[in-house]
């Protein structure tokens, strides 16, 4: 039997979000209903509200979440009722050409729930990133549920569902940062600071944080940055080179996703170094680089999708490291809020006042 619960929707482009009654159906084959315990407020949700990702309104927002499986549909073997899970938006299919090549982190056919959640008048909702987790209970594909240590705090664990995993993975999985390496991160919000924390965890020797906000640079130092650069006050490329013996960093992570920050990342890397783009560009962004420089500097220019993570591998590992006190997952939470405070949280996020607001249910 379907159930009606409270959730946060974006009814139209640019309109303030609202709490509405939402009908969640029983799980069908391959699906699961998850009782949400906590969900982070991610910038991607604001992109949905602003129409920056699509126009399939109304959207059911929220995707960076953890909770407990309440029920499962036919054929589900990955999880069972009572399991504590983090939701992920790249459920590996196991059959596409990426999976067949042994690269499931690039799965090109990720699964979402087949059935729609709706408003009480029957209007179907588009769940953000196929999840929709600013809600008391949500319907997802069972493969979007990753079991982790049930003793982990839901508010912290849920952050692996998007921002923290994206940043950590950009540095460690995509960028391949390792012991003794140098890394610069441009943009020190939640994703950028997660990249910094990841680099610190694996033993990078020099970690340079770049931002225009001294408050964010202060956070970066707490997560392990060895040096900070306010690019309002000094040239970021010159500063990064000066801090790396004049050569540039082994890896530069662009956590902003603007042409000007990508250009900074490109010229701030060492010869044969790596640029990782994890900040999401706007649809109209274009980039111009001298092709001879692309050739002459060598190395790699990479995009990082979800931190190139494999949830079944990376989520439990990072939860365990957090539980051991070796990875500062809970430190990304600036505040906890109620379901009806998401709109205000968007405003604080837009102003750069928080790393993460987390809705607790």
């Amino acid at each position: 039997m379907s159930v009606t619960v409270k959730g946060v929707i974006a009814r139209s482009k640019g309109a303030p979000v609202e709490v509405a009654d939402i009908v969640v159906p029983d799980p069908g084959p391959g699906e699961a209903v998850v009782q949400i315990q906590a969900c982070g407020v991610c910038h991607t949700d604001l992109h949905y509200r602003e129409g920056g990702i699509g126009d399939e309104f109304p959207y059911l927002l929220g995707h960076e979440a953890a909770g407990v499986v309440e029920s499962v549909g036919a054929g589900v073997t990955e999880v069972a009722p009572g399991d504590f899970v983090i939701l992920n938006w790249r459920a590996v299919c196991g059959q596409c050409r990426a999976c067949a090549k042994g690269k499931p982190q690039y799965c090109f056919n990720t699964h979402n729930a087949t059935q729609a959640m709706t408003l009480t008048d029957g209007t179907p909702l588009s769940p953000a990133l196929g999840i929709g987790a600013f809600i008391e209970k949500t319907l997802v594909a069972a493969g979007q549920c990753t079991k982790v240590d049930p003793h982990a705090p839901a508010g912290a664990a849920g952050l692996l569902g998007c921002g923290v995993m994206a940043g950590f993975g950009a540095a460690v999985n995509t960028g391949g940062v390792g012991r003794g390496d140098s890394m610069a991160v441009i943009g020190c919000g939640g994703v950028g600071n997660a990249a910094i924390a990841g680099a610190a965890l694996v033993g990078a020797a020099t970690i340079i944080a770049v931002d225009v906000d001294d408050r964010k640079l202060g956070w970066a130092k707490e997560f392990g940055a060895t040096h900070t650069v306010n690019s309002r006050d000094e040239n970021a490329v010159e500063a990064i080179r000066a801090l790396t013996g004049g050569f540039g960093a082994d890896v530069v992570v662009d956590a902003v996703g603007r042409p000007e920050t990508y250009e900074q990342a490109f010229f701030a890397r060492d010869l044969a170094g790596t640029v990782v783009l994890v900040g999401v560009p706007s649809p109209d962004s274009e980039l111009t680089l001298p092709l001879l420089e692309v050739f002459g500097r060598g190395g790699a220019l990479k995009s990082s999708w979800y931190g190139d993570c494999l949830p079944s591998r990376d989520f439990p590992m990072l939860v365990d490291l957090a539980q051991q006190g070796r990875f500062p997952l809970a430190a990304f939470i600036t505040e906890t809020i109620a379901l009806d405070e998401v709109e205000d949280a968007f405003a604080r996020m837009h102003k750069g006042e928080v790393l993460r607001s987390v809705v607790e249910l």
Side-chain angles (χ1 to χ4, degrees):
M1 181 182 295
S2 63
V3 62
T4 299
V5 297
K6 298 291 185 182
V8 175
I9 66 168
R11 196 176 291 272
S12 60
K13 181 177 179 178
V17 301
E18 59 187 273
V19 177
D21 289 328
I22 296 168
V23 178
V24 181
D26 281 344
E31 296 176 338
V33 169
V34 177
Q35 183 175 357
I36 300 299
Q37 295 182 337
C39 184
V41 180
C42 176
H43 207 279
T44 301
D45 293 303
L46 183 57
H47 278 317
Y48 273 108
R49 194 200 73 174
E50 295 301 303
I53 294 179
D55 59 359
E56 298 175 353
F57 291 93
Y59 285 107
L60 172 60
L61 301 181
H63 59 279
E64 200 175 68
V68 175
V69 176
E70 181 177 272
S71 57
V72 299
V76 171
T77 58
E78 300 97 324
V79 291
D83 286 342
F84 178 64
V85 298
I86 299 172
L87 298 184
N88 71 79
W89 50 270
R90 291 186 63 80
V92 172
C93 76
Q95 298 176 335
C96 71
R97 59 194 185 281
C99 291
K101 291 177 181 177
K103 298 181 179 180
Q105 70 272 23
Y106 297 132
C107 179
F108 300 141
N109 189 30
T110 58
H111 293 165
N112 295 320
T114 301
Q115 301 180 89
M117 291 177 278
T118 69
L119 298 177
T120 53
D121 64 2
T123 302
L125 296 168
S126 301
L129 292 177
I131 292 177
F134 288 150
I135 191 172
E136 294 166 331
K137 298 177 183 180
T138 195
L139 177 75
V140 294
Q144 293 178 278
C145 302
T146 304
K147 291 170 58 176
V148 296
D149 183 352
H151 298 102
L159 300 184
L160 293 174
C162 190
V164 172
M165 187 68 253
F168 177 96
V172 178
N173 295 342
T174 313
V177 172
R179 290 177 300 183
D181 284 346
S182 59
M183 185 184 78
V185 176
I186 301 174
C188 298
V191 173
N193 277 310
I196 288 168
L201 177 70
V202 299
T206 302
I207 305 172
I208 304 164
V210 180
D211 206 289
V212 297
D213 186 334
D214 285 331
R215 173 173 42 198
K216 292 183 178 180
L217 293 173
W219 291 335
K221 292 183 73 172
E222 294 175 7
F223 283 106
T226 59
H227 304 81
T228 60
V229 175
N230 188 317
S231 54
R232 285 192 189 277
D233 303 329
E234 55 185 317
N235 183 286
V237 175
E238 293 177 0
I240 292 168
R241 287 182 175 174
L243 292 166
T244 53
F247 302 116
D250 296 312
V251 178
V252 184
V253 175
D254 178 2
V256 179
R258 295 177 59 89
E260 55 267 38
T261 54
Y262 191 90
E263 185 173 346
Q264 289 175 330
F266 179 83
F267 286 107
R269 68 185 174 122
D270 196 359
L271 289 174
T274 300
V275 173
V276 178
L277 175 63
V278 66
V280 181
S282 63
D284 59 348
S285 293
E286 294 186 356
L287 177 70
T288 301
L289 290 172
L291 191 57
L292 184 60
E293 289 282 355
V294 175
F295 173 80
R297 300 188 72 80
L301 308 179
K302 296 183 174 182
S303 297
S304 186
W305 298 346
Y306 204 1
D308 287 346
C309 79
L310 189 58
S312 60
R313 175 195 66 198
D314 293 337
F315 288 6
M317 172 195 69
L318 286 170
V319 166
D320 288 347
L321 288 171
Q323 293 291 85
Q324 296 163 15
R326 296 165 62 193
F327 184 70
L329 188 55
F332 288 91
I333 301 175
T334 306
E335 62 177 1
T336 56
I337 62 172
L339 201 59
D340 60 0
E341 296 177 288
V342 169
E343 183 68 27
D344 290 339
F346 279 154
R348 289 189 290 275
M349 178 179 64
H350 186 68
K351 294 176 183 176
E353 297 175 353
V354 295
L355 275 175
R356 270 299 183 269
S357 303
V358 174
V359 175
E360 291 190 339
L361 293 105

